[in-house]
Amino acid sequence: MKNLNKLNLGIYEKALPKDIDWVERIKLVKECGYDFVEISIDETDERLARLDWTDDEINRIHKALIDTEVRIPSMCFSGHRRFPMGSMDEKTREKAMELMQKAIIFADKMGIRTIQMAGYDVYYEEGSEQTKKYFTENLKKAVEWASSYNVTLSIEIMDHPFINSITKYMEYADIIKSPWLKVYPDVGNLTAWPENDTLKELELGIKNGEITGIHLKDTLAVTDTFEGKFKEVPFGEGCVDFPKVFKKLKELNYKGPFLIEMWTEKSDNPIEEVKKAKQWMLDKMKEGGFI
């Protein structure tokens, strides 16, 4: 029988080699010692096309997951960066909602429990009260669709000021009032914004029962003269105090999953980097008394 008390540590798909078959990728997740992998459905045509995988393709992946005891419990759905739900363009909003429907159906077929959504109304456009209104209306509809499929939509705390804290997320939780809308904080993104107290934000999310998972990555903080760096900051070279974060999560009795977020899919030796990242993070968990 599996140990249900064990730490659940996953790796982001984009940390692993890019141009490999999914069955091979799943085997690599197992080889690197991770429990699960988070699939990416980003704004590229290549990854958006995954929403149209056939049942045979999905069944092949299911078999590999069963054979390896690896899981794909969550999806990073950033396709809305290109097709945002708050866009001023009606056709773009229609496309956003079409993709949302497909993502929910895809998640259901894949056995994915959590769709992690980007926390912004628009990305390439200028935001306004109207884009916020469109986003809120469409998020409410998306949560209704997801609830009918037992799929949770979790908003990621972002590198974008629209929803860059759990405090800001709570506004939408209060509006929509659904158990199928939650939050998926990224400790790097939380810490990079100077207005946030990362430990208090995590406490807010956990004590309100809102957190479905936590992204682990390092970042460089936003300042008056620097826009911050939210990706590809080597662990230990950024602003996140990981031992303090893990100490707080231990105090809060956090039992949910962790996902190491890296973008090493095109590096010279992504497998070695993924293995090193796991050990580095485990060391920080021990330092903080989490394990």
Side-chain angles (χ1 to χ4, degrees):
M1 185 179 291
K2 288 185 178 181
N3 177 11
L4 298 186
N5 292 314
K6 74 182 288 290
L7 173 73
N8 263 285
L9 185 61
I11 189 69
Y12 187 39
E13 174 196 336
K14 290 184 179 180
L16 299 163
K18 186 174 192 294
D19 297 316
I20 59 173
D21 179 78
W22 257 98
V23 171
E24 185 180 352
R25 183 174 289 115
I26 290 164
K27 290 178 180 176
L28 282 177
V29 173
K30 181 74 169 181
E31 177 192 319
C32 292
Y34 287 86
D35 302 293
F36 68 93
V37 58
E38 187 166 275
I39 190 171
S40 169
I41 307 292
D42 65 19
E43 62 186 310
T44 63
D45 289 338
E46 174 191 1
R47 284 190 163 112
L48 286 173
R50 292 171 171 180
L51 299 179
D52 296 311
W53 274 350
T54 65
D55 290 349
D56 285 344
E57 288 173 296
I58 290 172
N59 286 336
R60 183 168 171 268
I61 290 171
H62 281 166
K63 183 178 186 309
L65 294 173
I66 291 169
D67 290 345
T68 58
E69 296 189 333
V70 170
R71 296 176 294 113
I72 306 179
S74 55
M75 172 204 308
C76 178
F77 180 52
S78 52
H80 280 158
R81 180 185 296 236
R82 180 175 162 195
F83 302 103
M85 295 196 300
S87 176
M88 291 299 292
D89 182 78
E90 184 178 0
K91 288 187 177 178
T92 300
R93 295 197 306 276
E94 287 173 358
K95 180 67 174 180
M97 299 310 285
E98 175 194 328
L99 291 173
M100 188 76 259
Q101 289 186 60
K102 291 173 78 170
I104 292 166
I105 294 167
F106 176 77
D108 180 60
K109 286 187 175 185
M110 286 283 289
I112 291 168
R113 300 161 180 80
T114 300
I115 298 176
Q116 176 228 295
M117 297 175 62
Y120 40 69
D121 49 352
V122 291
Y123 191 81
Y124 298 113
E125 300 176 39
E126 192 73 33
S128 65
E129 283 303 311
Q130 187 61 47
T131 61
K132 180 179 179 179
K133 181 174 180 287
Y134 285 141
F135 171 80
T136 306
E137 290 171 353
N138 284 330
L139 179 62
K140 185 175 183 179
K141 175 57 68 176
V143 171
E144 289 173 359
W145 292 338
S147 68
S148 70
Y149 274 80
N150 284 11
V151 172
T152 300
L153 302 186
S154 287
I155 294 181
E156 184 182 10
I157 302 305
M158 297 304 296
D159 56 350
H160 186 288
F162 187 71
I163 302 180
N164 61 0
S165 67
I166 295 173
T167 299
K168 286 185 178 179
Y169 154 77
M170 292 300 296
E171 175 188 344
Y172 297 90
D174 290 342
I175 291 169
I176 292 174
K177 296 187 185 335
S178 170
W180 304 103
L181 179 67
K182 297 293 179 182
V183 68
Y184 196 145
D186 179 314
V187 295
N189 291 349
L190 273 177
T191 306
W193 294 99
E195 62 267 34
N196 289 341
D197 181 324
T198 300
L199 303 187
K200 286 185 178 178
E201 289 292 316
L202 291 170
E203 183 171 352
L204 175 66
I206 291 171
K207 288 195 171 180
N208 282 282
E210 296 292 328
I211 292 178
T212 56
I214 293 176
H215 271 176
L216 301 173
K217 78 172 185 213
D218 221 338
T219 49
L220 297 177
V222 175
T223 69
D224 291 339
T225 56
F226 179 59
E227 62 183 10
K229 186 175 182 184
F230 292 86
K231 288 185 178 181
E232 300 179 80
V233 176
F235 289 116
E237 296 183 19
C239 59
V240 180
D241 189 332
F242 284 97
K244 273 191 177 179
V245 166
F246 290 126
K247 181 181 179 184
K248 185 64 175 179
L249 291 172
K250 178 70 172 181
E251 290 173 4
L252 293 167
N253 197 34
Y254 175 74
K255 299 295 185 183
F258 292 100
L259 190 284
I260 292 181
E261 192 171 26
M262 301 167 66
W263 290 265
T264 45
E265 61 185 5
K266 294 180 180 176
S267 68
D268 292 338
N269 195 339
I271 301 305
E272 191 59 35
E273 292 192 47
V274 163
K275 288 179 178 179
K276 281 172 58 180
K278 181 190 176 193
Q279 190 55 55
W280 190 92
M281 202 60 71
L282 291 175
D283 288 345
K284 296 303 171 185
M285 288 181 178
K286 288 175 185 173
E287 191 178 333
F290 189 83
I291 56 175

